[in-house]
Amino acid sequence: MCGITGIFDTSGVNEISRELLHRMNETQFHRGPDEGGLHLEPGVGLGHRRLSIIDLSSGQQPLFNEDGSVVVVFNGEIYNFQELVPELEALGHTFRTHSDTEVIVHAWEAWGEACVARFRGMFAFALWDRKQETLFVVRDRFGVKPLYYAFLETGEFIFGSELKSLMVHPSLARDIDPLAVEEYFAYGYVPEPRTIFKRAYKLPPGFTLTLKRGQARALPKQYWDMPFTPVAVKDEADAMDELVARMKESIRLRMIADVPLGAFLSGGVDSSAVVAMMATQSATPVNTCSIGFDDPAFNEIEFAQQVADRYRTHHHVETVASNDFSLVDKLAQVYDEPYADSSALPTYRVCELARKHVKVALSGDGGDEHFAGYRRYRWFRYEERMRAAMPLMLRRPLFGALGRLYPKADWAPKVFRAKTTFEALARDTVEGYFHGVSLLSDTQRKQLFSPPFKRELQGYQAVDVLRRHAAVAPTDDPLSLVQYLDMKTYLVGDILTKVDRASMAHALEVREPLLDHELMGWVSGLPVDLKLRGTEGKYLLKKSMEPYLPHDVLYRKKMGFSVPLAAWFRGPLAITIRSVVLGERLASTGLFNQDYLREVVEAHQSGRRDYSVILWTVLMFDAFLGQVLGMDGQSVFESERQAA
């Protein structure tokens, strides 16, 4: 795990400022505190911060090929590099290190842009080929590793592992993108490829970007997508055996490290399965780390302990107090953009704990998306069956009217929230799913935003993010479709972003074996009945893990990694949330309807409604304005309006 950054003069060979490149690189010191390196030549500057994991003595970057004409900066791991080395040596390439990084420069020489298809791992890298005057920028298939970039009016192309690296460059305009604001308040993050800034972007997962000096600005090009190609399954037992074998292989590859290694153990199915598969392949006890909560409603520690006891792991536990909100201000600095997943707080703590004992930790991320583990998938299937029974032209007016008339019941279990169900049934498949996953509904966002800001949006709606992905989805099955939508949005924009920033803040490398593209490509083609059977999500995964994990771990109700926001905003943070949400900074942006914000605060703190999600989302947006932009009483659109 590392940090990369760079500057490329797309039009000529102007001198790159070493001092500027150094400052861009040092903003990512936390990603790689072990070593730092720069490479500059006419028109090109590359920077790297290193967290040493493999080949500790000779894996320094930037790293070159034999004659120095190809250089790379790389963040991540190529897990199959040991298989590629002899193949490349047979083609005449000479290796000077035992690092997976060196495979990249030789693979580029051998196979060009197609080299990325040979890599199995998590990676973001930028490679400069002096002879071809080409910069090749890549992000891994699932987006485990981040990559931000921008084309500047100066003719320069800049990139970095985190947005803060780009923000050092004085030519990057910081104009807020109104569409990104709409998306943030719908999803709780800004989905790829957009960032919060109009002129900066994220390279989408599974995409490359090839820039040639003197040529027109290039567009990202996709090299991989989840296949959803049906696979032959003889019977359920055969599928279980193959899943276990594939999981063991993926985990074995990710246990290669020259530093202490362990795993997160939440007590849920996914992390427990990873620990079980690690333990069956390790000659020594596995290091495991768990975070407990002093509030029983959020505490899963007893289930994690069952797994730790079964496999006799070296288990490390810390308890987080239910009023552990001291990180709220820090989160904005960690994430650079507005980010509203409150589970970032305990994630930060578990990474902090893990780094005390290991330098690499395996996680269970990706299991819910690929094996259909989220409860919302069950609810979506139920709604989709009802949608299929009646044409949209009849459903929209009928259920739309019922949704408007039926009283709202946030306090009730979802199955009894008829208003929510009616609203979903009045929509098509993609709209219905968006209605279920959005943090703030369409109605709430319309109430939240001011009339001038709504005019800035010009009718844009955040559901268009899902529509764009649905239009190119490689599957017609409704359940597979929403899994695909989650992989393209929630998985990369929320889950993987959360883990990357929290882990890198502590110089901890996290590896996700359930996001191996060969494993998950196979899983995508399984019959959907092996993923969600009746009301049982992760059906095949759970059945295959029955010999390895306690029944209580596999089949208990899913708890999640949550914090008690509602209680915070009525108790210890009541004054804070009121002063922030109704404060001058948010008011001065011109984005928000102040009357609605006041109504939300009053209704929540009086106990009439639970508006904790809205309040947290607004709180984190304010933290971004203050902590990242350093804003104090100024419209986020002021520079644009003055320019206009």
Side-chain angles (χ1 to χ4, degrees):
M1 226 56 99
C2 304
I4 64 174
T5 194
I7 306 172
F8 172 49
D9 181 5
T10 62
S11 57
V13 291
N14 291 314
E15 181 181 356
I16 303 298
S17 166
R18 174 177 287 273
E19 189 273 335
L20 174 59
L21 182 64
H22 172 73
R23 286 194 290 116
M24 291 172 66
N25 200 38
E26 290 308 292
T27 63
Q28 301 179 144
F29 181 89
H30 54 283
R31 298 187 70 92
D34 293 334
E35 292 176 290
L38 302 178
H39 169 72
L40 291 99
E41 60 181 84
V44 180
L46 302 176
H48 184 263
R49 289 298 325 178
R50 186 186 186 199
L51 180 64
S52 305
I53 302 296
I54 293 175
D55 191 10
L56 307 185
S57 62
S58 62
Q60 292 81 7
Q61 298 182 45
L63 187 146
F64 300 82
N65 66 339
E66 296 94 335
D67 65 4
S69 64
V70 178
V71 57
V72 70
V73 285
F74 164 54
N75 171 29
E77 303 285 353
I78 307 295
Y79 298 120
N80 64 332
F81 78 99
Q82 293 173 332
E83 301 170 17
L84 296 174
V85 168
E87 185 176 356
L88 290 164
E89 287 178 332
L91 294 174
H93 296 278
T94 302
F95 283 78
R96 295 175 289 104
T97 75
H98 299 289
S99 167
D100 57 337
T101 309
E102 192 173 2
V103 165
I104 298 173
V105 293
H106 298 309
W108 165 262
E109 292 178 292
W111 303 306
E113 292 183 13
C115 68
V116 67
R118 308 294 297 272
F119 300 150
R120 187 174 180 180
M122 56 179 188
F123 45 82
F125 65 81
L127 178 147
W128 168 246
D129 187 321
R130 187 184 308 123
K131 294 177 181 177
Q132 299 185 45
E133 293 194 300
T134 296
L135 184 73
F136 184 54
V137 182
V138 178
R139 192 176 183 194
D140 67 66
R141 296 167 179 84
F142 289 108
V144 178
K145 296 294 99 198
L147 201 290
Y148 293 82
Y149 70 92
F151 290 96
L152 306 180
E153 293 182 358
T154 60
E156 293 172 311
F157 170 84
I158 60 175
F159 65 89
S161 295
E162 296 184 15
L163 192 55
K164 58 173 59 72
S165 176
L166 276 61
M167 292 176 68
V168 170
H169 200 293
S171 296
L172 178 69
R174 298 189 183 187
D175 295 330
I176 298 290
D177 186 345
L179 309 190
V181 175
E182 155 73 0
E183 291 174 2
Y184 165 72
F185 280 98
Y187 297 100
Y189 54 91
V190 181
E192 273 76 349
R194 213 181 301 280
T195 74
I196 193 63
F197 299 128
K198 268 190 172 181
R199 293 166 180 82
Y201 302 91
K202 306 179 184 88
L203 186 64
F207 275 73
T208 64
L209 187 58
T210 303
L211 305 176
K212 292 183 178 293
R213 178 174 285 152
Q215 293 189 4
R217 181 181 298 186
L219 295 174
K221 183 170 65 176
Q222 189 169 30
Y223 68 89
W224 186 87
D225 200 5
M226 182 64 73
F228 286 97
T229 303
V231 298
V233 177
K234 186 173 69 174
D235 54 36
E236 188 176 298
D238 184 64
M240 290 165 55
D241 291 341
E242 183 160 1
L243 175 58
V244 170
R246 286 177 176 270
M247 286 179 61
K248 284 185 175 180
E249 182 208 25
S250 175
I251 289 167
R252 176 183 58 79
L253 288 172
R254 285 157 179 80
M255 292 173 68
I256 299 172
D258 296 332
V259 295
L261 176 142
F264 296 146
L265 181 56
S266 69
V269 174
D270 302 327
S271 66
S272 298
V274 169
V275 168
M277 297 296 94
M278 289 177 71
T280 61
Q281 302 181 87
S282 177
T284 58
V286 175
N287 290 295
T288 53
C289 299
S290 298
I291 288 291
F293 297 89
D294 61 3
D295 185 341
F298 300 93
N299 198 18
E300 297 183 284
I301 204 69
E302 65 174 289
F303 302 104
Q305 191 64 53
Q306 287 183 38
V307 178
D309 291 343
R310 180 163 182 165
Y311 290 102
R312 299 182 179 179
T313 70
H314 288 154
H315 193 47
H316 309 282
V317 181
E318 286 188 5
T319 299
V320 174
S322 57
N323 63 348
D324 179 33
F325 41 77
S326 59
L327 293 177
V328 170
D329 286 339
K330 188 173 184 62
L331 287 184
Q333 300 169 21
V334 170
Y335 289 91
D336 293 337
E337 296 184 272
Y339 180 81
D341 186 342
S342 61
S343 68
L345 295 166
T347 300
Y348 186 95
R349 291 301 188 202
V350 76
C351 290
E352 183 177 54
L353 168 62
R355 189 60 182 87
K356 295 175 183 178
H357 306 282
V358 298
K359 204 170 183 178
V360 178
L362 273 61
S363 82
D365 294 323
D368 284 308
E369 290 80 7
H370 292 284
F371 291 102
Y374 292 126
R375 287 191 290 269
R376 63 175 178 259
Y377 293 150
R378 302 198 295 272
W379 195 251
F380 167 80
R381 175 179 273 187
Y382 165 72
E383 291 175 346
E384 190 66 9
R385 287 170 178 166
M386 296 182 69
R387 278 190 283 263
M390 184 183 299
L392 179 62
M393 62 190 311
L394 297 178
R395 281 189 286 108
R396 195 178 291 278
L398 173 61
F399 290 111
L402 288 172
R404 288 189 296 273
L405 295 172
Y406 206 85
K408 191 168 178 60
D410 288 335
W411 51 269
K414 188 168 184 179
V415 69
F416 297 119
R417 295 182 203 169
K419 183 179 183 70
T420 301
T421 302
F422 291 149
E423 290 171 340
L425 293 178
R427 293 162 164 83
D428 64 26
T429 296
V430 174
E431 285 179 329
Y433 190 64
F434 172 74
H435 179 71
V437 300
S438 53
L439 293 188
L440 276 69
S441 69
D442 292 343
T443 300
Q444 288 173 331
R445 296 198 310 283
K446 287 177 182 176
Q447 293 175 301
L448 176 69
F449 296 144
S450 68
F453 178 66
K454 283 186 277 193
R455 289 194 291 272
E456 297 263 4
L457 291 175
Q458 298 180 339
Y460 177 77
Q461 293 183 307
V463 67
D464 289 350
V465 174
L466 298 188
R467 290 201 182 285
R468 185 178 70 247
H469 291 300
V472 296
T475 177
D476 295 324
D477 176 78
L479 177 62
S480 297
L481 170 63
V482 296
Q483 288 181 276
Y484 180 80
L485 296 180
D486 274 350
M487 294 172 203
K488 296 296 181 180
T489 56
Y490 182 67
L491 176 64
V492 58
D494 188 312
I495 301 298
L496 296 179
T497 297
K498 173 177 62 182
V499 174
D500 176 80
R501 302 305 189 278
S503 60
M504 285 288 89
H506 297 97
L508 173 74
E509 174 169 305
V510 176
R511 299 176 177 179
E512 287 87 357
L514 297 185
L515 291 179
D516 180 272
H517 79 278
E518 293 190 9
L519 166 63
M520 286 308 162
W522 176 80
V523 169
S524 75
L526 291 172
V528 294
D529 189 48
L530 289 179
K531 302 171 189 175
L532 177 57
R533 179 167 295 183
T535 61
E536 195 65 64
K538 301 184 187 174
Y539 175 79
L540 184 66
L541 177 61
K542 291 176 180 177
K543 293 294 290 185
S544 67
M545 289 294 108
E546 284 181 354
Y548 300 93
L549 294 172
H551 186 274
D552 287 351
V553 170
L554 291 172
Y555 294 104
R556 66 186 175 87
K557 182 179 179 181
K558 185 178 177 64
M559 187 175 291
F561 215 26
S562 304
V563 294
L565 293 179
W568 283 2
F569 296 153
R570 292 187 184 116
L573 291 185
I575 296 175
T576 298
I577 198 67
R578 176 178 288 271
S579 64
V580 168
V581 174
L582 304 181
E584 175 61 25
R585 183 158 50 212
L586 286 173
S588 69
T589 65
L591 296 177
F592 303 106
N593 176 348
Q594 294 303 115
D595 290 337
Y596 181 68
L597 287 178
R598 189 170 295 104
E599 176 187 329
V600 166
V601 172
E602 297 293 348
H604 182 83
Q605 294 193 340
S606 69
R608 295 196 311 270
R609 298 286 289 274
D610 182 356
Y611 280 137
S612 57
V613 171
I614 298 178
L615 292 171
W616 177 260
T617 308
V618 172
L619 175 67
M620 296 315 296
F621 189 82
D622 177 83
F624 160 75
L625 296 176
Q627 299 291 328
V628 178
L629 293 188
M631 209 187 99
D632 185 15
Q634 176 182 322
S635 169
V636 294
F637 298 110
E638 187 170 316
S639 60
E640 277 192 25
R641 288 172 179 151
Q642 288 176 350

